[in-house]
């Protein structure tokens, strides 16, 4: 099974419980790249189309590249009514896009799944001269006690857990190697998330590493998350400290 299959069977829960990105980040992308309705963005590893939709809502042409059929079909059902939306079955490392045809590449919550060297070569092929690649994650604030305890639960009940977002925030050398001459712009947008119990559990279940209902770890995982929610919620609302981390530059 390749990495493209990691979210098979999870598209519905991913689409429902994953958060979008703050408008301050969307505005930053548009302004920093001088994007207009005539420009084309390739959203690579687009999943269920969370960032894709936000870009379409800004009247941009968006080509969504996603290899997982479950995730891609979910996005298509949601977004096919947008005139500027194109959905393509393709891998990040080998897209069918024309050379030097793209004004911006976005990668939301997916770069840690890619073959970095092959993806870099593909970016260089399809981007217009000096156009940027923008990598972004909604990341739990690792300094928070809630997040630390949440990670401990995942570590206990999820054998494939390697840290949130694959631990990508702990490897800054990855970005130095990926971006041209090791230069990129790093920005953090504070974007704390509010959950009721259902959405808190759903957000945790949307992880590629999370157990499915048929797994023996499923029930104790849910129970532990429910106890964590009870510990940190107030008036039936839990605030998850979240930072939207952005890495952008030429490749």
């Amino acid at each position: 099974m390749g990495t493209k299959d990691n979210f098979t069977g999870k598209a519905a829960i991913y689409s429902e419980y994953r958060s979008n990105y703050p408008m301050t980040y969307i505005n930053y992308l548009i302004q920093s790249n001088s994007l207009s309705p005539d420009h084309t963005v390739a959203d690579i590893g687009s999943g269920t189309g969370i960032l894709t939709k936000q870009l379409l809502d800004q009247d941009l042409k968006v080509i969504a590249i996603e290899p997982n059929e479950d995730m891609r079909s979910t996005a298509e059902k949601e977004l096919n009514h947008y005139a500027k939306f194109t959905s393509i079955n393709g891998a990040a490392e080998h897209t069918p896009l024309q050379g030097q045809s793209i004004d911006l590449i976005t990668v939301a919550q997916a770069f840690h799944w890619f073959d970095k060297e092959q993806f870099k070569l593909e970016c260089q092929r399809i981007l217009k001269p000096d156009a940027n690649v923008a990598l972004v994650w909604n990341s739990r604030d690792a300094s928070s006690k809630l997040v630390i305890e949440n990670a401990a639960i995942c570590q206990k009940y999820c054998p494939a857990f390697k840290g949130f977002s694959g631990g990508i925030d702990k490897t800054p050398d990855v970005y130095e190697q990926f971006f041209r001459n090791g230069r990129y712009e790093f920005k953090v947008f504070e974007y704390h998330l509010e959950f009721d119990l259902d959405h808190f559990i759903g957000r945790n279940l949307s992880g590629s590493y999370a157990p499915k209902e048929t797994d023996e770890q499923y029930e104790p995982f849910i129970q532990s998350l429910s106890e964590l929610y009870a510990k940190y919620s107030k008036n039936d609302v839990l605030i998850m400290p979240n930072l939207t981390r952005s890495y952008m530059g030429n490749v």
Side-chain angles (χ1 to χ4, degrees), residues 111 116 119-120 123 133 174-180 251:
F111 181 67
K116 312 300 186 296
F119 177 57
K120 181 175 182 175
C123 291
V133 177
V174 169
Y175 308 111
E176 293 174 6
Q177 293 167 13
F178 178 73
F179 288 103
R180 187 188 303 170
V251 295

Side-chain angles (χ1 to χ4, degrees), residues 34-205:
S34 301
L35 296 177
S36 73
D38 292 328
H39 288 127
T40 301
V41 179
D43 190 22
I44 298 184
S46 51
T48 60
I50 293 172
L51 179 59
T52 305
K53 182 180 186 300
Q54 291 185 270
L55 297 172
L56 288 167
D57 284 338
Q58 301 304 307
D59 199 26
L60 297 168
K61 299 175 185 176
V62 186
I63 302 172
I65 308 287
E66 173 56 48
N68 183 281
E69 183 177 354
D70 195 19
M71 302 285 271
R72 190 178 62 257
S73 63
T74 297
E76 289 168 353
K77 290 174 186 176
E78 171 74 16
L79 303 175
N80 268 343
H81 66 282
Y82 284 90
K84 293 186 175 182
F85 170 64
T86 302
S87 178
I88 293 177
N89 177 7
E93 302 84 357
H94 304 285
T95 76
L97 301 178
Q98 292 182 354
Q100 297 191 353
S101 64
I102 300 300
D103 297 290
L104 174 69
I105 289 173
T106 56
V107 182
Q109 225 77 20
F111 181 67
H112 48 286
W113 297 115
F114 298 170
D115 179 309
K116 312 300 186 296
E117 284 302 316
Q118 290 299 312
F119 177 57
K120 181 175 182 175
L121 291 173
E122 183 66 353
C123 291
Q124 292 170 344
R125 185 184 73 81
I126 66 176
L127 281 170
K128 293 179 181 178
D130 294 323
N132 287 323
V133 177
L135 314 175
V136 65
W137 284 266
N138 272 329
S139 302
R140 298 167 179 85
D141 184 347
S143 66
S144 159
K145 291 182 179 180
L146 164 62
V147 173
I148 292 169
E149 291 180 39
N150 197 167
I153 291 171
C154 293
Q155 190 73 52
K156 183 175 182 180
Y157 295 109
C158 309
F161 181 72
K162 297 178 182 178
F164 297 122
S165 297
I168 194 75
D169 57 322
K170 298 182 176 65
T171 54
D173 57 307
V174 169
Y175 308 111
E176 293 174 6
Q177 293 167 13
F178 178 73
F179 288 103
R180 187 188 303 170
N181 299 322
R183 298 180 64 182
Y184 58 93
E185 184 170 68
F186 174 60
K187 281 188 171 291
V188 176
F189 302 83
E190 190 174 279
Y191 191 46
H192 301 326
L193 306 176
E194 294 187 7
F195 295 112
D196 59 17
L197 177 59
D198 177 63
H199 281 76
F200 178 64
I201 291 175
R203 173 61 184 85
N204 277 274
L205 287 174

